[in-house]
Amino acid sequence: NRTVFGPPPFILTGMPGVGVSGPWAAVPLCCLYLLMLLGNGCLLWALGAERGPAQRLLALLALADLGLSLCTLPTVLAAFCVPAAPLPFRACLAQMYFIHSLSAIESGLLVAMAFDRFVAVCHPLRYGAVLSGALLSGAAALIVLRGVLVVLPVAVLMAGMSFCRPRVLAHSFCLHQDVLRLACGDVRPSSWYGLGAVVLTKGLDSLAILLSYVLILRAILATVSPGARAKAFGTCLSHLCAVLIFYIPLIGLSVIHRFGKRLPPLTHTLLADAYLLLPPVLNPLVYSWKTQHIRRRILLLLCRR
């Protein structure tokens, strides 16, 4: 129980109650990561020749998904292949920073895509004029800058903490809430800032997306033709699926981290894995399924290989 100052190593946890059963236990995860790499790689290739605003935002979303998955891949595989796999403190800190910053970037991209759908449905004749290349470049730069800067104080506060509890992580990767529960001393500044960062990023982003869809729904209902309604709603379906895939595990994970401490550890693990793995795997499937020209180009690429 002694206090350890400096950078102590953490111990990764795979699936609670399962333990380490050899490298074969990582085979399903490897398949999932290969599917993610293949799906997002094919999606980026299919969007390579596209110059529309929606396609550019989708390409940025695929890049964010790739980064979010690749920064968790080494520790996830290590947790299932190595008994009590250690993770150096600085590596944990870096992984935590990249996970939360890329998550904030993805949330901002979903807001930009919601605005894109709002303009496409409510102001189709002004679509090209409103969503110019300069506006998209500026919005992308602001989204990335916000994600990079808003998480930086979290990493700085965490770097100066001491740890006196058993340094066993609840997941196979580093999350702010998970590492914070192992710290001793006054953790309120880091805890409150982390909560404020989530509210000011993902909280405001979700409200902006909700407002966009309220306006979109009002415009769709004002359309007289049933065929026009179905077409307008179809243009938003892929983005709506991406929003639900991203926010439902995120909200569930945030709630159980703060109010579900008595729940089984497996619940925390499954929600954390869903939060980080489901969007990168499912987003390419959703967009290729709903967008005909993307699906055609991906099938062409697979047939060539």
Side-chain angles (χ1 to χ4, degrees):
N1 294 328
R2 66 186 181 90
T3 301
V4 178
F5 295 95
F10 292 97
I11 303 301
L12 299 171
T13 300
M15 196 70 67
V18 175
V20 178
S21 304
W24 65 267
V27 170
L29 283 171
C30 288
C31 294
L32 199 61
Y33 275 104
L34 286 175
L35 181 61
M36 178 274 301
L37 290 171
L38 179 63
N40 285 282
C42 290
L43 185 60
L44 287 172
W45 179 86
L47 295 169
E50 303 289 340
R51 293 294 182 267
Q55 288 76 21
R56 292 182 181 181
L57 291 173
L58 181 55
L60 291 174
L61 183 67
L63 287 174
D65 281 337
L66 278 172
L68 193 60
S69 296
L70 290 177
C71 72
T72 62
L73 175 61
T75 57
V76 170
L77 295 183
F80 279 85
C81 295
V82 181
L87 181 65
F89 176 74
R90 293 179 180 177
C92 179
L93 196 65
Q95 185 185 56
M96 181 190 69
Y97 174 77
F98 282 113
I99 286 176
H100 290 293
S101 61
L102 287 170
S103 178
I105 290 172
E106 183 164 350
S107 178
L109 289 172
L110 290 174
V111 175
M113 296 171 77
F115 180 71
D116 169 82
R117 294 299 85 199
F118 164 74
V119 177
V121 172
C122 300
H123 305 284
L125 298 179
R126 301 176 56 195
Y127 181 78
V130 173
L131 295 175
S132 61
L135 178 64
L136 285 177
S137 299
L142 286 176
I143 289 171
V144 172
L145 189 63
R146 185 193 70 163
V148 169
L149 294 180
V150 76
V151 185
L152 189 59
V154 173
V156 172
L157 289 171
M158 189 68 68
M161 289 185 177
S162 57
F163 298 85
C164 52
R165 297 178 178 88
R167 297 181 296 277
V168 179
L169 297 174
H171 310 295
S172 51
F173 39 79
C174 289
L175 295 177
H176 176 246
Q177 305 95 323
D178 192 17
V179 178
L180 193 64
R181 70 179 177 84
L182 305 179
C184 54
D186 189 6
V187 299
R188 287 177 296 178
S190 183
S191 178
W192 282 109
Y193 180 84
L195 178 62
V198 170
V199 172
L200 292 176
T201 54
K202 300 180 179 70
L204 293 181
D205 289 349
S206 59
L207 290 178
I209 293 172
L210 180 61
L211 177 61
S212 297
Y213 273 99
V214 168
L215 297 176
I216 289 172
L217 184 61
R218 188 176 68 174
I220 291 176
L221 294 178
T223 305
V224 178
S225 171
R229 289 182 182 178
K231 184 178 180 180
F233 182 74
T235 62
C236 302
L237 188 57
S238 296
H239 176 257
L240 187 58
C241 290
V243 170
L244 295 177
I245 291 169
F246 179 79
Y247 277 101
I248 288 178
L250 170 65
I251 294 172
L253 184 63
S254 300
V255 169
I256 67 168
H257 261 300
R258 296 191 177 275
F259 306 108
K261 299 186 184 300
R262 296 184 179 180
L263 292 175
L266 185 60
T267 306
H268 295 254
T269 301
L270 291 178
L271 269 178
D273 290 341
Y275 162 56
L276 291 179
L277 295 179
L278 281 186
V281 172
L282 295 183
N283 282 342
L285 299 178
V286 167
Y287 277 97
S288 60
W289 168 59
K290 288 299 298 177
T291 310
Q292 185 176 2
H293 73 277
I294 293 179
R295 183 170 66 250
R296 189 184 302 118
R297 286 180 64 86
I298 291 177
L299 290 175
L300 179 62
L301 174 63
L302 295 177
C303 290
R304 285 179 179 177
R305 294 185 176 181

